[in-house]
Amino acid sequence: MRAAVQHRYGPPAVIESSEVGLPRPGRGEVLVQVGAASVHPGDYFVMTGEPYVLRLAFGLRRPRHGIPGRDLAGVVAAVGKEVTALRPGDEVFGWSTAGALAEYARVPADNLVPVPANLSVVDAAAVPTSALAALQALRDIAHVRPGQTVLVTGASGGVGSFAVQIAKAFGAEVTGVCSTRNVDLVRSLGVDHVVDYTRTDFTRAGKRYDVILDNVEAQPLADVRRALTPTGTLIPNSGRGGRWLGPLGRIVKARVLSGFTRQQLKPLVSIGKRQDLLTLADLLATGQVTPLIDRTYPLDEAADALRYVGAGHTRGKVVVTV
């Protein structure tokens, strides 16, 4: 089969299109014929091997998984032992540890759910990691309720574009922060207010929010906290940080500060959960959430897709079609 392969850590140039052997599903796994796979900043970090702390999980000297990619959608081609909920021919979407940027991928059956009838394979592939992060941040960390005020920075990005829609589905009054070129795009996602950060600094505008999901972290915690209500919740979620430990330093700082204020500073650590993916499938099926697709690339141009994501200015999601 054809796959995007990397044999060492580095820039997108380390990715090459190659012929590799077809994987076989093990116990509790299925073989998915991939129709599309999305890429996100986490895939870029794993590809480069930086921050170095990632290598503890993905291989110290070289990538343990030669085929990158996590999120996918496609058709079940074969099932392994003890798999009863899925059958060959089922159209599914979900996530794997790695290996999504290929014609076929081996995926734990528990990581997959049926694709909603109103969703294309490209749209479905865009959902898992980014939408799960948005859902868990707003529901599980911030406990967003109807009538609350929610501000999302990076509202036109992968997590942000899902977050503003999910917050609206929860009944919140939503403000999206973005650049001038994305104002109309963010407004089309259904937000109540848009802040153009090139013209207005939301931390100095005098408005306070119950919840701030900060996907950009362009300003110090102290400044962002000014825009929080006295008991509000701030969720830092840029993923950026130092070369060695990444965002861990900011995470620790936020945790420590939370002990000295009534405001809650809670960095996001998203975990893949099948039940949460089913929740998202319901929101997608009812039209309350719609994936925002920036660009699509063919499998042979997977390196270009990762390069574009690494530049940090995507509008929604980037998807590789197979």
Side-chain angles (χ1 to χ4, degrees):
M1 69 172 185
R2 203 73 178 163
V5 178
Q6 70 172 114
H7 300 290
R8 59 187 175 89
Y9 291 117
V14 303
I15 302 290
E16 58 186 38
S17 184
S18 302
E19 289 289 336
V20 299
L22 191 70
R24 294 183 179 182
R27 189 182 303 273
E29 296 179 330
V30 302
L31 182 67
V32 176
Q33 183 177 4
V34 181
S38 65
V39 294
H40 56 87
D43 295 317
Y44 185 85
F45 298 149
V46 171
M47 176 192 69
T48 61
E50 295 183 13
Y52 292 131
V53 68
L54 287 173
R55 302 191 184 197
L56 295 176
F58 294 96
L60 292 177
R61 293 187 175 183
R62 61 183 62 85
R64 186 175 294 116
H65 303 286
I67 302 173
R70 173 179 170 90
D71 295 347
L72 53 78
V75 176
V76 174
V79 300
K81 293 181 179 180
E82 299 182 3
V83 175
T84 58
L86 296 174
R87 298 179 300 176
D90 289 347
E91 191 173 36
V92 295
F93 74 113
W95 74 95
S96 184
T97 303
L101 293 175
E103 291 179 323
Y104 290 87
R106 191 177 64 184
V107 186
D110 288 342
N111 293 5
L112 299 167
V113 302
V115 174
N118 62 327
L119 228 58
S120 70
V121 69
V122 169
D123 285 343
V127 173
T129 295
S130 294
L132 283 170
L135 175 68
Q136 292 171 6
L138 297 171
R139 184 196 61 191
D140 301 338
I141 297 178
H143 308 293
V144 171
R145 303 181 302 276
Q148 286 191 311
T149 53
V150 175
L151 179 137
V152 178
T153 70
S156 62
V159 173
S161 59
F162 283 115
V164 294
Q165 296 179 77
I166 292 171
K168 284 298 296 180
F170 288 169
E173 179 184 322
V174 181
T175 299
V177 181
C178 62
S179 64
T180 304
R181 77 183 185 105
N182 292 323
V183 166
D184 290 339
L185 177 65
V186 171
R187 188 172 287 118
S188 74
L189 297 175
V191 300
D192 299 286
H193 314 284
V194 180
V195 173
D196 179 349
Y197 68 76
T198 68
R199 300 180 179 181
T200 304
D201 181 350
F202 75 88
T203 69
R204 300 181 182 276
K207 171 76 173 177
R208 289 197 165 195
Y209 301 89
D210 297 306
V211 177
I212 296 177
L213 174 57
D214 190 357
N215 296 304
V216 179
E217 295 188 73
Q219 293 153 300
L221 282 173
D223 291 351
V224 179
R225 285 177 55 200
R226 285 200 304 263
L228 269 185
T229 60
T231 57
T233 300
L234 167 61
I235 306 171
N237 183 47
S238 76
R240 296 179 301 172
R243 189 175 186 182
W244 286 90
L245 297 178
L248 291 182
R250 292 198 313 277
I251 291 173
V252 170
K253 182 179 179 180
R255 295 277 187 200
V256 171
L257 282 173
S258 285
F260 297 93
T261 175
R262 294 169 63 202
Q263 294 173 329
Q264 300 296 306
L265 281 65
K266 297 183 176 181
L268 172 64
V269 179
S270 180
I271 300 174
K273 296 180 180 179
R274 186 175 188 274
Q275 186 55 51
D276 287 354
L277 195 57
L278 287 169
T279 297
L280 289 168
D282 288 340
L283 291 170
L284 293 159
T286 57
Q288 295 177 84
V289 173
T290 301
L292 175 63
I293 308 299
D294 184 343
R295 298 184 183 184
T296 61
Y297 293 81
L299 180 59
D300 287 346
E301 297 176 12
D304 293 330
L306 285 158
R307 184 177 294 108
Y308 181 60
V309 167
H313 299 290
T314 60
R315 305 172 72 183
K317 296 292 296 181
V318 174
V319 178
V320 173
T321 57
V322 181

